[in-house]
Amino acid sequence: MVRNMRTRLGIVLIIITCAGTVQAQLNSFLYTQNSFVNLNPSFAGSNGNLRDQCFAGDISPGLGTLKRVFYNAFDMYLPSIKSGLALTGYYEDFGSSDYQTKSYSISYAKYFSLRNDKIKFIPSLQIGLRQERSQRLMYTSPPGQPWFWEVGTYENDHMIIALGGLFNIKNFYFGASFYDLQPISRREQYNPFLDRYNFHASYNVHAAKWMLIHFSGNVSVNSHSYSTLNLSLNALLFRHLLLGGGIQQRESYFVSIGYRGHRFSVGLRYHVTLFSGFAPYGHEGFTAMATFNLRKKELRKEVLNFEAW
């Protein structure tokens, strides 16, 4: 048993070493999402029953502004049709009503399996609505009047379509998701930077009955050549204690601590960016996370893969 545990830990270290050699290309965005459904809609229903994941966080850049983010995702698995459904909501602002973004979405994932559910393939579709509101100074001139500055309100509502795909072989997960799949000419009318292509992989090591190690990484790019690389390592110790850490590009880092119960999990993450093109003076922030899981009674005390939480 000790030998098997050493072998599994060795596999994790090899994966971390290989993944750490991957070079990202351009500047990064600080915020990494904490919901599986937000990463890939194919995770809808991945816990096998009911789940709700939420987080609230803030970023305090060196530029002096404050960004607040709130996110919630509710998903469930429907065994009668082997499908998952998810409802998500997102809100962000910069500490005032000058700029606000809201989005709502619904996701559907279809589960196909082989070898008694040991191999799964889950394609998915997500449809959402994004609302943007901002106050802007505009230089304007009514007919026959001199030019002057005034505060104007910018409003924009648009639909966002996303596709996802996920492979699951026992403790290994690999997937891809594609957000805002609309013609470039259409995106240019509201926000050309919203499209996102995510590629992610994760592996769970059940080192002991009371110990689970989870490694994950994802690369995100868009049509304007912005890209980010995220690597993280999380551990569940003594069935309840959660510890984690990670890196985004070379300038953003985070550490986290949390508690896992039979139905609830809570955590707190601290992240800091030493330098980036978007905030050359650096910034930092906290994120509070909470998850509720409803499972069959015989599975509540089991140490399952992180993706099933």
Side-chain angles (χ1 to χ4, degrees):
M1 181 176 178
V2 174
R3 184 176 181 180
N4 290 337
M5 185 174 72
R6 290 177 178 175
T7 301
R8 292 174 179 177
L9 290 176
I11 293 173
V12 173
L13 293 175
I14 292 173
I15 294 175
I16 294 174
T17 303
C18 295
T21 63
V22 178
Q23 300 295 321
Q25 298 176 354
L26 296 175
N27 296 317
S28 67
F29 301 94
L30 173 64
Y31 238 91
T32 54
Q33 308 301 343
N34 300 282
S35 165
F36 288 116
V37 176
N38 190 69
L39 175 65
N40 189 335
S42 293
F43 278 114
S46 65
N47 84 319
N49 205 322
L50 299 177
R51 172 175 58 190
D52 190 84
Q53 291 182 302
C54 63
F55 73 81
D58 69 84
I59 302 175
S60 302
L63 298 179
T65 59
L66 174 67
K67 180 179 179 180
R68 300 180 299 185
V69 177
F70 305 92
Y71 180 84
N72 190 83
F74 171 81
D75 67 299
M76 62 186 300
Y77 180 70
L78 304 174
S80 59
I81 57 174
K82 295 185 178 181
S83 301
L85 290 176
L87 299 173
T88 60
Y90 178 85
Y91 172 86
E92 72 173 21
D93 65 30
F94 285 87
S96 67
S97 59
D98 293 343
Y99 178 82
Q100 297 179 347
T101 300
K102 301 176 183 179
S103 66
Y104 314 92
S105 65
I106 182 171
S107 304
Y108 173 78
K110 179 63 177 178
Y111 284 67
F112 299 95
S113 61
L114 297 171
R115 297 185 179 182
N116 296 323
D117 289 341
K118 292 183 179 180
I119 300 176
K120 297 178 183 178
F121 171 63
I122 307 117
S124 62
L125 170 67
Q126 183 182 88
I127 299 176
L129 174 66
R130 181 181 175 92
Q131 300 176 323
E132 296 181 3
R133 303 288 186 271
S134 63
Q135 302 286 335
R136 298 180 180 179
L137 279 175
M138 298 184 296
Y139 196 50
T140 183
S141 174
Q145 301 292 327
W147 288 85
F148 65 95
W149 288 97
E150 69 174 0
V151 177
T153 301
Y154 168 80
E155 299 183 358
N156 195 356
D157 299 345
H158 56 272
M159 183 175 69
I160 293 181
I161 300 174
L163 296 176
L166 179 67
F167 283 99
N168 170 216
I169 304 176
K170 293 185 177 180
N171 301 327
F172 176 74
Y173 297 80
F174 172 78
S177 55
F178 311 95
Y179 286 85
D180 202 15
L181 299 178
Q182 300 193 52
I184 295 179
S185 59
R186 167 61 180 157
R187 288 202 306 269
E188 294 288 349
Q189 297 177 16
Y190 51 90
N191 191 333
F193 296 96
L194 288 181
D195 65 311
R196 188 170 80 249
Y197 310 95
N198 291 319
F199 303 91
H200 60 90
S202 58
Y203 184 68
N204 295 266
V205 177
H206 295 262
K209 291 183 178 181
W210 50 270
M211 182 178 182
L212 173 62
I213 300 175
H214 179 263
F215 171 79
S216 65
N218 75 280
V219 176
S220 179
V221 298
N222 73 1
S223 58
H224 288 260
S225 299
Y226 287 104
S227 64
T228 59
L229 170 66
N230 301 286
L231 299 173
S232 64
L233 182 66
N234 295 279
L236 173 67
L237 305 176
F238 310 109
R239 291 182 175 268
H240 297 293
L241 177 62
L242 288 167
L243 297 174
I247 182 173
Q248 183 179 38
Q249 304 296 71
R250 294 181 177 178
E251 66 275 359
S252 298
Y253 308 89
F254 81 86
V255 292
S256 63
I257 187 171
Y259 172 83
R260 173 190 179 271
H262 300 322
R263 289 190 177 91
F264 292 92
S265 298
V266 294
L268 183 65
R269 172 183 293 184
Y270 169 74
H271 40 257
V272 59
T273 294
L274 303 180
F275 172 83
S276 76
F278 292 97
Y281 302 102
H283 45 224
E284 60 184 355
F286 289 91
T287 302
M289 300 165 284
T291 299
F292 168 75
N293 277 287
L294 180 62
R295 295 193 186 92
K296 295 180 180 179
K297 187 175 181 180
E298 60 270 19
L299 295 177
R300 291 173 187 170
K301 296 184 180 180
E302 292 292 327
V303 178
L304 304 175
N305 292 340
F306 270 71
E307 290 79 3
W309 291 14

